[in-house]
Amino acid sequence: MPSQYPAVQAGRRALAARLREIRLDAGIQTKALAEAAGWDRWKVGKIEHAKRSPSVADVRTWCRICHAMDQADDLVGALRSTESAYVTWNRLQRGRAGLRRLQESRLALYERTSTDWTYCSQVVPGLLQTRAYVTELLELVSRRSGSSDNDVPGAVTARIDRQRVLRRHGRKFLFLMEEAALHYRIGDPEVMAGQLSHLADVTASAIPSVALGVIPFSQSRTQWVLENFTVFDGGKVEVEILSALVTISVPGEVSLYLAAFEDLYRSAVFGTEARKLIEVAAGRYR
């Protein structure tokens, strides 16, 4: 589990500590527990030191042997909560038409969110992507996953369909992009030209619920470049890393991302100034 996400590790350590307490309260040695469960002798120690995450079956077996089945459901709930905070993209996209199903599953979250703060350092924010740009990007994702059944066209349609939330009454969206993301080429020049033209329109308040800021290369800043992340209604953060989607809901960590977003916001330019940066990038493709 990545060390930069302490809430996930803390959840694992807390579960490990509870399992150890249950074993000690039952007066059962680690070797005896392993033998009764039919496990490798080292498995119990690894679980108790949070070096190995138990499965749901492991937790229930542990509780059964330690005469603590009354605690099993709570422990399974804690395990699932911890594991759901860090989910690999391969797991999210597995199965038939996995990439399409993943895109479809994301709609519910956006539909119930009233305020959305998104920061992107490498790509255009998903809700502002054109169909051509989405297609090129999801083709890259599909090739990375190695699956031959991702249904990229279906995934593209689902992702574009999600953009309808931008025009819902009462919604607010604040997007921040690094200037570099305007220059990273996804697809051919025509794709980039179309995408940048769309962003230029957004800076002119083409969508009343949306504000788009660009952080210039030359701008003095108080926050270094971060991974892509979105804050939903100020209470939940999703961070996109190469291998996984990390969900953060611990208030202290959410506050860190909100503070970082505020610092990034202070370095961004909007409106005419943002449009000028977009047009400079677009000039490479005309």
Side-chain angles (χ1 to χ4, degrees):
M1 194 64 65
S3 60
Q4 65 264 43
Y5 303 108
V8 178
Q9 286 195 324
R12 276 191 165 184
R13 288 195 296 268
L15 176 61
R18 288 179 66 185
L19 289 171
R20 184 172 187 273
E21 288 173 2
I22 287 172
R23 179 182 63 77
L24 292 175
D25 288 344
I28 298 176
Q29 298 295 316
T30 57
K31 182 179 180 181
L33 175 55
E35 289 178 349
W39 296 339
D40 177 273
R41 58 178 298 195
W42 305 112
K43 180 172 178 176
V44 173
K46 289 179 180 178
I47 289 175
E48 290 188 348
H49 289 88
K51 294 186 176 182
R52 173 173 179 169
S53 182
S55 66
V56 170
D58 290 339
V59 170
R60 294 196 181 280
T61 297
W62 192 296
C63 290
R64 176 177 55 78
I65 294 170
C66 295
H67 311 293
M69 285 304 293
D70 59 320
Q71 300 185 54
D73 287 345
D74 284 348
L75 291 170
V76 167
L79 171 64
R80 286 174 171 159
S81 176
T82 298
E83 294 304 305
S84 67
Y86 183 96
V87 187
T88 65
W89 294 115
N90 282 343
R91 178 179 166 189
L92 287 168
Q93 296 170 27
R94 69 186 175 190
R96 185 173 179 82
L99 188 56
R100 173 180 57 76
R101 288 188 296 100
L102 171 60
Q103 295 301 316
E104 291 172 343
S105 71
R106 306 287 293 153
L107 178 59
L109 173 60
Y110 285 87
E111 286 192 324
R112 65 175 179 264
T113 299
S114 60
T115 306
D116 174 305
W117 297 270
T118 295
Y119 164 77
C120 287
S121 54
Q122 305 106 8
V123 295
V124 172
L127 291 176
L128 301 181
Q129 294 171 358
T130 63
R131 180 174 290 274
Y133 188 95
V134 171
T135 300
E136 294 290 343
L137 192 59
L138 292 186
E139 286 283 4
L140 292 175
V141 171
S142 180
R143 286 198 290 274
R144 170 68 66 179
S145 74
S147 173
S148 60
D149 183 30
N150 269 323
D151 187 9
V152 172
V156 170
T157 297
R159 189 155 184 163
I160 292 298
D161 183 53
R162 191 191 310 167
Q163 295 180 5
R164 67 174 185 257
V165 301
L166 294 175
R167 302 185 184 277
R168 296 279 177 84
H169 178 71
R171 304 297 177 87
K172 295 181 180 179
F173 299 87
L174 176 55
F175 299 100
L176 298 180
M177 292 179 61
E178 296 289 344
E179 183 179 355
L182 301 174
H183 294 270
Y184 293 142
R185 179 173 160 179
I186 302 293
D188 61 28
E190 184 177 357
V191 169
M192 288 300 297
Q195 178 62 75
L196 294 171
S197 176
H198 176 59
L199 291 181
D201 289 341
V202 172
T203 63
S205 300
I207 307 175
S209 64
V210 173
L212 172 62
V214 178
I215 304 171
F217 288 126
S218 59
Q219 182 70 15
S220 176
R221 58 197 300 158
T222 56
Q223 174 59 60
W224 58 88
V225 175
L226 297 172
E227 60 275 6
N228 299 339
F229 69 88
T230 298
V231 183
F232 297 94
D233 286 333
K236 172 183 176 181
V237 182
E238 289 191 345
V239 185
E240 297 182 10
I241 61 176
L242 178 63
S243 59
L245 177 67
V246 181
T247 301
I248 296 169
S249 56
V250 176
E253 287 196 70
V254 172
S255 295
L256 288 176
Y257 277 90
L258 285 170
F261 194 90
E262 289 177 2
D263 285 340
L264 293 163
Y265 177 85
R266 284 192 285 269
S267 297
V269 296
F270 295 82
T272 301
E273 291 182 81
R275 187 183 183 95
K276 288 179 180 177
L277 294 174
I278 293 169
E279 288 178 345
V280 168
R284 302 171 59 191
Y285 302 108
R286 292 173 182 155

